[in-house]
């Protein structure tokens, strides 16, 4: 059995829903994971923000506009009056539920329930459309099997056992439609896997059933050797390893959620990235190993903050680094890059929610310098220890770009450099042009 995930743009209109239905109606057993229709989650976040601010009329106005948009989709999607009415009745139920929050106190728990409605709507409309077309399918609620634990990490045992139970039901068809992103938490409340979590959902489902293949369908033909939004003339990469894909996803390649690689790698399940607009294109295949190549791709991550802790006593201070890391652990803030010398340690973070508290805690260990509005440029390829000269060529390509930090040697697949946000485009373009010979 395969697991196929389709993102918001892939189901973003009546035409796109019909196109996806045509792709999955192929007689093969498969679990299809859907995101909310494009724009819906952002709108639901906007509604939630209005409710937090007690702006009831503004929230009502946004709810009404979104409801009208869905009624338009329904009239365009379905052919028969029976299914048009069935779709409208269902949508009316969803929006009555959303309006029920207008006169209540609004908390983060309610926001999670509001955000879940996007995936519930997209999967139900797909289920109805397939029914209207005479295609047998089962709508399986992710809330019946997808769960995170008290640390907000996937509960692998729970997911595997409950998904196995649901799939064993006698009325389950070989074609199964389910939601990405949404889940329950350890207390049984509606929760989610954070933004972009539909990829993660598909990977968790694939790992749980030991799928033949996990396919992530988007509107681009796989990973590219650079960011096509920034650099012209990029090309799709046909084969990556799990580690290479994880590096690219984490450091800015938006096509794949960073967390989604690990479950597939754990069970050694191939992941294939496909384009819904060009379904015959082979896309990018991700497996345990991939053909060796010097430089495969460049990606970038913006919104980075660099912190330098300088202490002349650092060399003799046993446990200094441990104390620094404990500050970030206490504030649950991950570190992206790190560089050390005898008297200083520099590191980067992309989450600044607790930055002021972190800086206050770090001041007891030395002088603090902070650089905001930075970007990490990540060069992914084969940088194994046996190779010589490749790192020098990468840095040579960046000779006209001021570098704030360099990370080399922490991974056999990655060289990362920290630059100012204003220098990011030049860094990526220079790498693309000057390392072109190494990418063939």
């Amino acid at each position: 059995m395969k697991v196929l995930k389709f993102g918001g743009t892939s189901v973003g209109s009546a035409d796109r829903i019909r196109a996806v239905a045509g792709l999955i109606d192929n007689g093969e057993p498969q679990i299809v994971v859907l995101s909310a229709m494009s724009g819906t989650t952002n709108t639901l976040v906007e509604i939630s923000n209005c409710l937090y601010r007690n702006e009831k009329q503004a929230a009502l106005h946004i709810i009404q506009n979104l409801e009208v948009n869905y009624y338009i989709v329904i009239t365009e999607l379905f052919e028969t009056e029976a299914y048009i009415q069935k779709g409208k009745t269902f949508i009316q139920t969803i929006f009555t539920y959303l309006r029920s929050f207008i006169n209540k106190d609004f908390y983060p728990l309610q926001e999670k329930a509001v955000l879940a409605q996007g995936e519930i709507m997209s999967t139900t409309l797909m289920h109805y459309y397939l029914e209207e077309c005479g295609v047998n399918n089962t709508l399986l609620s992710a809330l019946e099997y997808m769960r995170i634990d008290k640390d907000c990490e996937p509960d692998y045992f729970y997911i595997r056992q409950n998904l196995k139970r649901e799939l064993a039901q006698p009325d389950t068809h070989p074609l199964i439609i389910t939601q990405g992103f949404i889940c329950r938490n350890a207390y049984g409340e509606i929760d989610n896997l954070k933004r972009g979590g539909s990829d993660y959902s598909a990977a968790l489902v694939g790992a749980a059933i030991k799928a033949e293949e996990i396919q992530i369908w988007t509107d681009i033909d796989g990973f590219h050797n650079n960011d096509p939004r920034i650099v012209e003339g990029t090309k799709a990469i046909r084969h990556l390893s799990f580690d290479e894909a994880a590096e690219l996803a984490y450091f800015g390649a938006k096509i794949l959620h960073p967390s989604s690689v690990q479950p597939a790698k754990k069970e050694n399940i191939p992941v294939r990235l496909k384009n819904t607009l060009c379904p015959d294109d082979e896309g990018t295949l991700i497996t345990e190993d991939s053909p060796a190549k010097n430089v495969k791709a460049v990606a970038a991550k913006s919104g980075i903050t660099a912190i330098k802790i300088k202490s002349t006593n650092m060399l003799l201070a046993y446990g200094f680094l441990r104390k620094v890391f404990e500050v970030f652990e206490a504030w649950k803030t991950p570190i992206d890059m790190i560089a050390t010398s005898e008297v200083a340690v520099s590191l980067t973070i992309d989450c600044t929610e607790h930055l002021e508290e972190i800086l206050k805690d770090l001041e007891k260990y030395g002088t603090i310098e902070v650089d905001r509005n930075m970007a990490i440029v990540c060069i992914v390829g084969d940088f194994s220890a046996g190779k010589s000269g490749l790192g020098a060529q990468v840095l040579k390509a960046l000779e006209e770009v001021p570098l704030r930090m360099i990370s080399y040697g922490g991974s056999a697949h990655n060289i990362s450099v920290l630059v100012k946000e204003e220098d990011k485009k030049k860094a990526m373009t220079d790498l693309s042009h000057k390392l072109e010979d190494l990418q063939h």
Side-chain angles (χ1 to χ4, degrees), residues 231-247:
V231 178
E232 295 181 357
T234 64
K235 299 176 182 177
I237 307 169
R238 294 311 179 191
H239 202 164
L240 287 170
S241 70
F242 287 124
D243 290 336
E244 291 167 341
E247 297 276 13

Side-chain angles (χ1 to χ4, degrees), residues 166-237:
E166 293 295 327
L167 295 179
Q169 297 297 319
D171 56 347
T172 300
H173 295 289
L175 177 56
I176 298 161
I177 310 298
T178 192
Q179 299 88 17
F181 178 61
I182 68 175
C183 63
R184 292 192 185 275
N185 60 27
Y187 308 100
E189 301 155 339
I190 295 177
D191 214 312
N192 58 60
L193 299 171
K194 313 307 178 191
R195 296 300 292 267
S198 291
D199 290 354
Y200 201 12
S201 297
L204 291 169
V205 169
I209 67 169
K210 299 188 185 301
E212 172 190 344
E213 185 174 273
I214 299 167
Q215 296 182 356
I216 308 295
W217 290 75
T218 64
D219 55 358
I220 189 171
D221 52 342
F223 274 113
H224 276 224
N225 59 356
N226 211 316
D227 192 332
R229 298 166 299 180
I230 297 173
V231 178
E232 295 181 357
T234 64
K235 299 176 182 177
I237 307 169

Side-chain angles (χ1 to χ4, degrees), residues 4-7 10 23 215-219 274-276 279:
L4 283 66
K5 176 263 175 180
F6 292 89
S10 296
L23 289 171
Q215 296 182 356
I216 308 295
W217 290 75
T218 64
D219 55 358
K274 299 274 287 180
N275 186 349
T276 50

Side-chain angles (χ1 to χ4, degrees), residues 4-13 15-24 32-35 126 215-222 255 272-283:
L4 283 66
K5 176 263 175 180
F6 292 89
T9 55
S10 296
V11 291
S13 66
D15 286 341
R16 300 296 288 270
I17 292 173
R18 279 193 287 267
V20 169
L23 289 171
I24 63 180
V32 177
V33 178
L34 300 182
S35 298
M126 178 64 77
Q215 296 182 356
I216 308 295
W217 290 75
T218 64
D219 55 358
I220 189 171
D221 52 342
I255 189 172
R272 191 179 297 274
L273 308 183
K274 299 274 287 180
N275 186 349
T276 50
L277 300 178
C278 302
D280 294 331
D281 189 278
E282 63 182 290

Side-chain angles (χ1 to χ4, degrees), residues 1-5 31-33 140 142-143 145-149 152-164 167 178-184 191-216 242 256-271:
M1 177 178 276
K2 294 181 181 179
V3 176
L4 283 66
K5 176 263 175 180
I31 299 177
V32 177
V33 178
L140 174 58
L143 301 178
Y145 64 84
M146 189 64 72
R147 189 171 81 165
I148 54 177
D149 59 23
C152 296
E153 295 296 328
D155 187 334
Y156 288 97
F157 179 79
Y158 181 97
I159 295 168
R160 184 169 56 253
Q161 293 300 111
N162 284 273
L163 184 54
K164 182 179 179 180
L167 295 179
T178 192
Q179 299 88 17
F181 178 61
I182 68 175
C183 63
R184 292 192 185 275
D191 214 312
N192 58 60
L193 299 171
K194 313 307 178 191
R195 296 300 292 267
S198 291
D199 290 354
Y200 201 12
S201 297
L204 291 169
V205 169
I209 67 169
K210 299 188 185 301
E212 172 190 344
E213 185 174 273
I214 299 167
Q215 296 182 356
I216 308 295
F242 287 124
L256 187 66
H257 189 276
S259 300
S260 60
V261 176
Q262 190 57 38
K265 180 181 178 181
K266 183 179 178 182
E267 299 295 338
N268 197 22
I269 298 170
V271 177

